[in-house]
């Protein structure tokens, strides 16, 4: 299929329109439409993933490209395509959104609106991952905020309104800075590529030739006393860093996660955080390679702070979900460390960490959801001995947490090991010191996850919980595919590394060239 | 042909509009105001005729008649804009459940009279005609603001409006008189070009002589525009007048009257201080003038947004938001380039859709709930989903998020700002739109996130709901496919081509 990416992206949109037309009461039909509208993209994306020729992404090329004029007044195009960096994330999106539908069957309130918004969210996320036009990218980037706001705000916990608007404000603050930088880039592209001024590949190409220096902007690109390369880089970086989230921009995340309903937490952790990391790799670092090269160690330091700080804060949590939320901050720090090192292994580790974390943290949030549905609280100290009434739950949780703490044979291990080794390979001595510091994070992560298992499943059984039913089929169905992915990619990491390698290789070449 | 007849032909839309206003007034008198709805329909039909006449003129070359009336596409653009806005306001009046339906024929007469004022205001470079148009608009607006004369708030609104309007018009006329004394002409085009070899007339020799008095006159004239657009520090009337006036009138003031101010300001700045001015000193002075406008823009948007944060009433919140939007529009004016002016015009178009929509929803809530407090709209989104979803589209657009027309408008403004070296102003504007998200979405929060404790059922107004939904759809459609509007704006560009 020539336009398979558009089909994948807009089938959920069609599903949303259908749901909007259905009567409120036909809940079964609505759920069915939602399943089909997320299921077809899953099938297509799986086909795409396994039918993808990795060399299609070599040397900065893209596969399945569609390029149509869209807004001729400003030169924006509908320009989409995938490479080894975006394809695994597109696939991950289709998996998690599909699993998110049955995971949401427990929700009773206004289901029609819920599934419609869920599908709209999927459109936005797919759109960001496949966009190769910065204007299109930005539009999709913002489109997904709206459904997320309502999904947290309507179906969330007691402080949902606060969490929803906080999420929205943080992300918007980042994205308006992003917009200013995009405009400045666009203005310079007018002369360089008048036909496709918003094209991200064209910007990357121009940047690697050293054309995007801001010289053609008024005052030579000076803004608030900063050089163009400085401010544009930081504006883009902050826009994406808030989404990741990188310390110190992470404070929206615990609130959003804790208040969001389980399936939304799953999607938030599994996919939305990846958008930040992906955005940096696609639309920030290679466009500003010189600034990136100069500031790479600062980014790596931020990454390491996120790793260590996130794990320590997670250790101190008594709320189960908050703990998992902070573990996300910690895990996403590896992405920055890996890319910042500018080695192929580091970049592969970072890209793989995004996928690995997408599966393992999504599963962890499902773990929290299972117990919250039964106990209606999430106090880690309030449980104990749950391994007796719920053995299946115990087993799956253990696998899931092992995946989270990076046990060998799990994809998280490969990702973290690659990242750390890749960072250690760096010629820059500072990176080796950073790797040593981030080991603390690895240890603490193991500590809080194991301690959580101990507090929830071991010890004496609380009488209140002895009649709890074990996980039902729906819950198992939602969690097991994610764990299988963790294990399969942990044992056969080449299944994913081969797909990513050519594109990442090219990315690292672009980035290291920034120093010359 | 006789230049007089020729001029009359060129002014046909104005003449038809004036005739329409008079017909409505007399017809309402003759029917003793028994069923004023008919007057509403008559007005709508008349506006359709005027709109058609205007649409046919788009793209015709610029012509000046009687030495002061310019008939060009730029003016036609804003006239069409006014006609479209007034038509929607008429529909608002017709569907307003709180409005008495009898004996309000003057409502339409006053609206049409104000429109005639706008028509002249936007089609002249002559300061005398500008003041006449502005005063005609103002006088009709004062009466409209106090239309619910029995209500204290409405009377208060009219009073405040008169006092502020009188003050700022006085300042403006005084500034104009100073300028006239210095340059010897009231025609802006002449003022900009007259060199006056023997007698020093025109702006240029005056500036060489001393820039200070010109500066005083300019600031004073700016006061008049600032008042019409609600730009700080002439914004004080806005929240009270908007709140006290009947909602359809508020809509008219927020959309049509503000657009007239924008159009007149664009003409003024475009005639005197285009960025590539004729003379060195004009360019030097224009830079200062542009900087003044840029500072006003920053202050206006910040003050408007920060004040809107604390509002409980949707109507008052929209008033402050309209102040903030005046600030955004000024970015385009401050650049003094053709692109900047086009961006301001595009933004006005965006503003048209999203504000008409938002005020329409406000009117709907006032009819359904008898209150304009945001808190009272709790849970209403689930009762009237269609209107509430349209409202979310308007809010998203007002915040300036894709995929709406407001985003594209903001994008164009930001782009000219960055391109013309006003990066700092663009950063201020961008951070302002983050602030504005908070209060705009307090409405969305109330509509959808809160539980309703109000048992009253939703109003059933299929026609009105259909109109609002259509505006909502257009808000999104033109956000995704803005080319047609951009082409229209470029065709009507003031400085371009």
């Amino acid at each position: 299929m020539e336009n398979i990416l558009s089909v994948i992206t807009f089938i959920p949109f069609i599903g949303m329109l259908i749901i909007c037309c259905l009567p409120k009461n036909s809940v079964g039909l609505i759920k069915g439409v939602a399943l089909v509208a997320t299921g077809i993209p899953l099938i297509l994306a799986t086909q795409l993933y396994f039918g993808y020729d990795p060399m299609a992404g070599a040397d900065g090329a893209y596969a399945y490209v569609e390029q149509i004029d869209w807004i001729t007044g400003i030169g924006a195009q509908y320009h989409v395509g995938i490479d080894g960096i975006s394809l695994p994330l597109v696939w991950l999106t289709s998996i998690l959104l599909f699993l998110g539908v049955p995971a949401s069957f427990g929700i009773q309130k206004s289901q029609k609106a819920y599934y419609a918004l869920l599908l709209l969210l999927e459109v936005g996320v797919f759109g960001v991952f496949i966009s190769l036009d910065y204007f299109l990218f930005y539009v999709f980037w913002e489109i997904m905020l709206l459904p997320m706001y309502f999904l947290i705000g309507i179906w969330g916990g007691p402080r949902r309104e606060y969490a929803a608007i906080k999420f929205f404000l943080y992300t918007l603050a980042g994205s308006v800075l992003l917009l200013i930088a995009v405009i400045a880039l666009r203005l310079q592209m007018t002369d360089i590529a008048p036909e496709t001024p918003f094209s991200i590949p064209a910007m990357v190409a121009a940047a690697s030739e050293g054309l995007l220096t801001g010289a053609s902007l008024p005052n030579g690109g000076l803004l608030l006393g900063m050089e163009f390369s400085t401010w544009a880089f930081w504006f883009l970086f902050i826009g994406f860093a808030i989404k990741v989230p990188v310390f110190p921009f992470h404070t929206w995340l615990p609130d959003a996660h804790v208040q969001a309903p389980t399936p939304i937490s799953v999607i938030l952790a599994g996919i939305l955080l990846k958008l930040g990391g992906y955005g940096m790799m696609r639309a920030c670092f290679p466009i500003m390679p010189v600034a990136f090269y100069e500031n790479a160690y600062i980014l790596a330091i931020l990454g390491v702070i996120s790793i260590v700080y996130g794990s320590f804060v997670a250790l101190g949590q008594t709320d189960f979900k908050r703990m998992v939320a902070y573990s996300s901050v910690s895990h996403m720090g590896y992405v920055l460390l890996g890319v910042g090192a500018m080695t192929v292994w580091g970049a592969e580790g970072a890209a793989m960490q995004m996928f690995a974390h997408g599966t393992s943290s999504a599963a962890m949030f499902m773990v929290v959801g299972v117990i919250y549905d039964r106990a209606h609280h999430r106090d880690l100290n309030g449980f104990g001995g749950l391994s007796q009434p719920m053995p299946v739950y115990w087993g799956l949780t253990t696998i899931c947490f092992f995946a989270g703490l990076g046990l060998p044979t799990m994809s998280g291990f490969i990702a973290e090991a690659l990242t750390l080794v890749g960072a250690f390979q760096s010629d820059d001595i500072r990176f080796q010191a950073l790797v040593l510091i981030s080991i603390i994070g690895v240890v603490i992560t193991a500590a809080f996850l194991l301690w959580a298992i101990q507090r929830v499943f071991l010890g004496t059984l609380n009488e209140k919980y002895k009649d709890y039913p074990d996980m039902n089929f729906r819950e198992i169905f939602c969690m097991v595919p994610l764990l299988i992915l963790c294990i399969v990619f942990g044992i056969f990491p080449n299944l994913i590394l081969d797909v990513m390698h050519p594109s990442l290789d090219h990315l690292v070449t672009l980035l290291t060239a920034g120093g010359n | 042909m006789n230049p007089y007849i020729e001029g009359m032909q060129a002014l046909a839309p104005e003449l038809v509009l004036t005739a329409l206003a008079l017909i409505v007034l007399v017809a309402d008198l003759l029917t003793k105001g028994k069923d004023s709805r008919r007057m509403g329909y008559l007005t709508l039909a008349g506006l359709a005729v005027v709109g058609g006449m205007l649409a046919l003129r788009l793209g015709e070359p610029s012509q000046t008649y009687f030495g002061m009336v310019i008939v060009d596409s730029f003016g036609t653009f804003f006239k069409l804009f006014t006609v479209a806005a007034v038509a929607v306001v008429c529909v608002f009046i017709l569907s307003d459940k709180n409005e008495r339906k009898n004996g309000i024929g003057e409502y339409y007469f006053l609206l049409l009279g104000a429109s005639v004022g706008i028509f002249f205001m936007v089609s002249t470079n002559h300061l005398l005609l500008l003041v006449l148009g502005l005063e005609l608009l103002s006088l009709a607006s004062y009466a409209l603001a106090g239309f619910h004369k029995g209500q204290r708030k409405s009377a208060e609104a009219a009073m405040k409006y008169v006092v502020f309007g009188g003050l700022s018009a006085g300042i403006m006329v005084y500034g104009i008189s100073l300028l006239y004394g210095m340059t010897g002409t009231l025609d802006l085009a002449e003022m900009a070009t007259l060199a006056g070899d023997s007698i020093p007339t025109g702006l240029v020799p005056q500036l060489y002589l001393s820039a200070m008095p010109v500066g005083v006159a300019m600031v004073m004239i700016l006061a008049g525009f600032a008042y019409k657009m609600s730009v700080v520090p002439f914004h004080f009337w806005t929240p009270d007048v908007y709140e006290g006036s009947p909602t359809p009138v508020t809509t008219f003031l927020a959309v049509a009257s503000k657009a007239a101010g924008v159009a007149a300001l664009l003409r003024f700045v475009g005639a005197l201080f285009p960025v590539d001015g004729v003379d060195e000193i004009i360019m030097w002075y224009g830079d200062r003038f542009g900087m003044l406008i840029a500072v006003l823009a920053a202050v206006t948007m910040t003050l408007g947004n920060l004040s809107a944060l604390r509002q409980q009433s949707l109507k008052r919140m929209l008033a402050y938001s309209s102040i903030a939007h005046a600030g955004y529009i000024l970015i385009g004016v401050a650049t003094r380039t053709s692109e900047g002016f086009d961006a301001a015009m595009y933004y006005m178009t965006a503003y048209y859709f999203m504000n008409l929509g938002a005020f329409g929803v406000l009117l709907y809530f006032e009819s359904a709930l008898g209150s304009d407090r945001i808190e009272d709209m709790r849970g209403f989104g689930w009762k009237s989903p269609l209107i509430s979803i349209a409202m979310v589209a308007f809010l998203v657009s007002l915040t300036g998020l894709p995929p709406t027309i407001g985003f594209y408008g903001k994008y164009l403004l930001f782009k000219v700002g960055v391109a013309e070296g006003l990066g700092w102003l663009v950063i201020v504007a961008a951070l302002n739109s983050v602030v504005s998200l908070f209060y705009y979405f307090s409405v969305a929060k109330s509509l959808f996130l809160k539980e309703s404790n109000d048992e009253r059922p939703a109003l059933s107004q299929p026609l009105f709901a259909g109109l609002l939904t259509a505006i909502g759809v257009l808000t999104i459609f033109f956000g995704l496919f803005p080319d047609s509007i951009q082409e229209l704006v470029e065709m009507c560009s003031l400085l371009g081509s």
Side-chain angles (χ1 to χ4, degrees), chain A residues 24 70-74 109-110 113 135 138-140 142-143 145-146 149-150 153-155 160-161 164-165 168-169 172-177 179-180 182-184 186-187 198 217-219 223-224 231 235, chain B residues 382 392 396 399-403 407-408 410-412 414-424 426-427 430-431 433-435 437-438 441-442 444-445 448-451 479-483 486-487 490:
Chain A
K24 228 184 319 195
W70 174 31
I71 305 177
T72 50
I74 54 169
K109 189 168 154 188
S110 344
F135 197 83
Y138 190 81
V139 168
F140 278 125
E142 300 270 285
I143 280 182
L145 296 182
L146 204 62
Y149 169 79
F150 286 112
I154 298 177
W155 290 274
R160 55 180 187 265
E161 290 160 18
I165 195 72
F168 208 159
L169 284 172
L172 184 64
S175 51
V176 293
L177 295 180
L179 178 65
I180 296 175
V182 172
I183 288 172
R186 157 74 178 80
L187 287 169
F198 275 111
L217 293 174
N219 312 326
L223 182 64
L224 307 177
W231 69 259
F235 278 16
Chain B
W382 304 106
V392 171
V396 169
T399 316
L401 295 178
F407 165 69
Y408 194 73
K410 227 165 233 177
Y411 167 80
L412 291 178
F414 286 7
K415 189 177 127 191
V416 291
V418 173
E420 299 302 325
L422 291 173
W424 63 272
V426 173
I427 292 182
L431 295 178
S433 44
V434 179
V435 173
L437 173 80
F438 185 78
F441 269 73
S442 69
K445 180 174 88 177
F448 286 103
L449 271 54
K450 301 267 192 194
E451 302 290 335
L480 286 173
F481 305 102
D483 269 332
Q486 203 175 1
E487 275 161 24
E490 272 162 20

Side-chain angles (χ1 to χ4, degrees), chain B residues 259-294:
Chain B
V262 172
L265 179 64
L266 286 177
R267 275 211 198 270
F268 183 79
V269 178
L272 291 186
F273 304 112
V275 78
D276 40 0
V278 282
D279 195 283
E280 209 175 295
I281 196 157
I282 288 271
M283 285 163 74
W284 177 86
Y285 198 79
D287 281 344
R288 303 292 175 288
F289 193 70
M291 191 48 76
L292 172 68
I293 293 182

Side-chain angles (χ1 to χ4, degrees), chain A residues 24 86 109 128 137 204 208 255 258 271 319 327 338 352 452 479:
Chain A
K24 228 184 319 195
S86 49
K109 189 168 154 188
V128 172
F137 179 92
V204 172
S208 67
D255 289 306
V258 170
I271 305 166
D319 184 321
S327 84
M352 183 151 177
M479 203 189 292

Side-chain angles (χ1 to χ4, degrees), chain B residues 24 62 94-95 171 196 246 249 304 332 362 401 442-443 447 481 484:
Chain B
V24 168
S62 168
L94 286 169
S95 17
I171 297 176
V249 173
L362 167 68
L401 295 178
S442 69
V443 182
L447 285 176
F481 305 102
S484 52

Side-chain angles (χ1 to χ4, degrees), chain B residues 250-479:
Chain B
T250 311
T251 315
F252 174 80
L253 293 179
V255 178
S257 173
K258 179 173 294 218
V262 172
L265 179 64
L266 286 177
R267 275 211 198 270
F268 183 79
V269 178
L272 291 186
F273 304 112
V275 78
D276 40 0
V278 282
D279 195 283
E280 209 175 295
I281 196 157
I282 288 271
M283 285 163 74
W284 177 86
Y285 198 79
D287 281 344
R288 303 292 175 288
F289 193 70
M291 191 48 76
L292 172 68
I293 293 182
V295 171
L296 284 181
V299 176
T300 303
M301 61 179 92
T302 311
L303 202 108
N305 277 322
L306 292 182
S307 316
L309 281 177
R310 300 175 59 91
Q311 301 309 318
Q312 308 286 323
S313 141
L314 176 57
K315 208 169 177 183
R316 233 178 139 77
M317 188 197 91
L318 286 174
Y320 280 111
S321 119
S322 97
I323 297 176
H325 284 282
Y328 297 136
I329 292 165
L330 283 186
I331 300 176
V333 183
T335 62
R336 297 169 297 121
T337 57
S338 183
E339 291 81 27
F341 283 17
D342 288 354
M345 283 166 75
Y346 190 94
Y347 200 79
M348 273 323 294
T349 317
Y351 180 85
Y352 170 86
F353 284 104
M354 56 206 191
N355 260 335
L356 282 184
F359 277 108
V361 175
L362 167 68
L363 187 69
Y364 178 83
F365 283 135
E366 282 179 338
S367 313
L369 302 168
S371 156
D372 62 353
R373 287 169 60 81
I374 296 172
E375 217 186 273
D376 292 338
M377 294 164 196
R378 267 176 309 186
F380 215 81
W382 304 106
K383 285 189 200 161
S384 327
L386 213 53
I387 284 190
S388 302
I389 291 172
M391 184 62 178
V392 171
F394 304 137
L395 295 170
V396 169
S397 183
L398 285 163
T399 316
L401 295 178
T404 56
I405 190 167
F407 165 69
Y408 194 73
K410 227 165 233 177
Y411 167 80
L412 291 178
L413 285 174
F414 286 7
K415 189 177 127 191
V416 291
V418 173
E420 299 302 325
L422 291 173
W424 63 272
L425 181 58
V426 173
I427 292 182
V428 173
L431 295 178
N432 260 298
S433 44
V434 179
V435 173
S436 71
L437 173 80
F438 185 78
Y439 65 82
Y440 286 131
F441 269 73
S442 69
V443 182
K445 180 174 88 177
S446 203
L447 285 176
F448 286 103
L449 271 54
K450 301 267 192 194
E451 302 290 335
S452 170
N453 51 3
D454 189 338
E455 295 303 316
R456 273 175 293 178
L459 270 186
S460 154
Q461 281 185 319
L463 268 180
F464 192 50
L467 175 73
L468 290 178
T469 314
I471 298 178
V473 169
L474 288 178
T475 306
I476 293 172
F477 177 82
F478 286 127

Side-chain angles (χ1 to χ4, degrees), chain A residues 268-281:
Chain A
L268 189 61
I271 305 166
L272 265 72
L273 305 190
K274 310 301 168 290
L275 291 163
Y278 170 78
M280 290 180 191
M281 288 192 195

